[in-house]
Amino acid sequence: MPDHTETAGLRDYPLARRGVLMTGLISGFTLATQQVEAQAIHTGTEGLDAGEAQIPTGDGKLPAYFAKPARKGTFPVVLVNEEIFGVHEYIKDVCRRLAKAGYFAVATEYYARIGDLSKMTDVQQIIAEVISKTPDDRYMADLDATAAWALDNGGSATRVGVMGFCRGGRQTWLYAAHSPHLKAAVAFYGPLGGNPSAIQPVTGLDVADKLKCPLLGLYGGQDASIPVDLVHQAEAKAKAAHEIVEIVVYPDAPHGFHADYRPSYRQADAEDAWNRTLGWFRRFGVTPAG
């Protein structure tokens, strides 16, 4: 069965239209399942170089959103893995928040090759027709391509990190086990279980003892979709292999507690998690200059 963690406790809304596949990003909140509320945090572009980009891959270009300080310099890179709903305003705002902290953040629409999320109207369709059909090895290669693009456009080759939310948190675990170039990783409520398939052959738990960089995992104690016991299993497996892993469980937080545009948002936990994220990157060398 596919992973349904993005959908817990939410109701269906139609997706907005985006335009031609693989040419641009979603505008606004185009979520199939959300009761979209006013976004709690709005980060402007003052002092930033921010906008859309096209990431060259082995079989075409993928749309992406980036943000970095406008001043001259070489900046630490943070690859941002989206939820399953596309690179919408919340994900873009996360990139701008990182840029305000001195990072070159980039979020690629990794699912654009498989389907146009803006034209899909329910989450089951997204999972069945897009998420479950996206090969993990292709996703990892696209992350590599995104990192290469960032390095060619002002990013530091020696200061690269990755972070992600829900499904993107899963991909963060996988990429931390894939790339030898990462300094640090942060997974917000990334699923660790699931049923492997031919194109998605491993889970986060499977790779927990193969991490190539320190990983911070941020989870909700009230997240019915990700058992806390499984999170601690991954932590124990990583530590038994002498990996650096820190797991933080917010006892009263549900799934999606950092998503400030939906009812699951928990401000205090989200702020603490964000501060821990920036601290983790700084601690392990993904550090802004100055």
Side-chain angles (χ1 to χ4, degrees), residues 94-151:
V94 166
C95 289
R96 294 193 294 271
R97 296 173 209 178
L98 287 164
K100 292 283 187 177
Y103 293 94
F104 184 164
V106 55
T108 296
E109 180 51 89
Y110 294 104
Y111 300 112
R113 188 187 286 104
I114 305 295
D116 187 348
L117 299 180
S118 70
K119 297 178 180 178
M120 306 180 77
T121 57
D122 72 57
V123 74
Q124 303 307 324
Q125 181 187 16
I126 292 174
I127 292 171
E129 297 183 11
V130 179
I131 305 305
S132 66
K133 293 184 178 180
T134 302
D136 283 339
D137 59 355
R138 177 178 288 169
Y139 198 113
M140 297 299 105
D142 289 341
L143 272 164
D144 288 340
T146 300
W149 177 86
L151 301 190

Side-chain angles (χ1 to χ4, degrees), residues 13-288:
Y13 272 72
L15 285 163
R17 300 182 69 84
R18 175 172 62 187
V20 180
L21 180 64
M22 293 182 68
T23 62
L25 295 173
I26 294 171
S27 177
F29 296 104
T30 57
L31 306 185
T33 61
Q34 308 301 350
Q35 178 183 336
V36 177
E37 300 185 341
Q39 191 175 356
I41 301 174
H42 299 271
T43 306
T45 58
E46 299 83 3
L48 302 181
D49 178 11
E52 294 193 16
Q54 294 285 317
I55 307 299
T57 73
D59 60 349
K61 295 182 178 180
L62 292 174
Y65 183 83
F66 75 93
K68 63 180 179 178
R71 65 183 184 274
K72 292 183 179 180
T74 301
F75 305 103
V77 173
V78 177
L79 309 176
V80 179
N81 286 314
E82 63 187 303
E83 306 159 320
I84 68 171
F85 305 118
V87 180
H88 52 71
E89 287 304 318
Y90 162 64
I91 298 299
K92 295 174 186 178
D93 200 280
V94 166
C95 289
R96 294 193 294 271
R97 296 173 209 178
L98 287 164
K100 292 283 187 177
Y103 293 94
F104 184 164
V106 55
T108 296
E109 180 51 89
Y110 294 104
Y111 300 112
R113 188 187 286 104
I114 305 295
D116 187 348
L117 299 180
S118 70
K119 297 178 180 178
M120 306 180 77
T121 57
D122 72 57
V123 74
Q124 303 307 324
Q125 181 187 16
I126 292 174
I127 292 171
E129 297 183 11
V130 179
I131 305 305
S132 66
K133 293 184 178 180
T134 302
D136 283 339
D137 59 355
R138 177 178 288 169
Y139 198 113
M140 297 299 105
D142 289 341
L143 272 164
D144 288 340
T146 300
W149 177 86
L151 301 190
D152 287 342
N153 287 275
S156 169
T158 60
R159 294 176 289 162
V160 180
V162 65
M163 66 183 297
F165 304 88
C166 192
R167 186 71 178 189
R170 171 192 183 267
Q171 310 296 45
T172 295
W173 278 88
L174 267 58
Y175 196 59
H178 165 83
S179 175
H181 306 298
L182 290 174
K183 292 289 188 180
V186 180
F188 280 75
Y189 29 91
L192 291 159
N195 296 319
S197 67
I199 62 170
Q200 298 176 358
V202 297
T203 67
L205 180 61
D206 291 333
V207 302
D209 58 347
K210 301 176 178 64
L211 303 179
K212 294 180 171 63
C213 71
L215 184 143
L216 172 65
L218 302 164
Y219 289 85
Q222 301 304 311
D223 187 344
S225 61
I226 304 176
V228 172
D229 285 349
L230 191 63
V231 176
H232 289 310
Q233 285 180 43
E235 178 185 28
K237 185 174 181 179
K239 290 183 175 180
H242 306 290
E243 308 290 359
I244 300 174
V245 170
E246 181 176 314
I247 298 296
V248 178
V249 177
Y250 296 95
D252 299 322
H255 187 79
F257 64 83
H258 188 268
D260 62 344
Y261 62 95
R262 63 202 220 195
S264 58
Y265 178 57
R266 298 294 184 270
Q267 181 179 353
D269 293 337
E271 290 176 353
D272 182 80
W274 185 255
N275 289 333
R276 288 177 183 271
T277 296
L278 297 181
W280 191 259
F281 285 142
R282 290 192 297 266
R283 177 181 171 186
F284 291 105
V286 190
T287 310

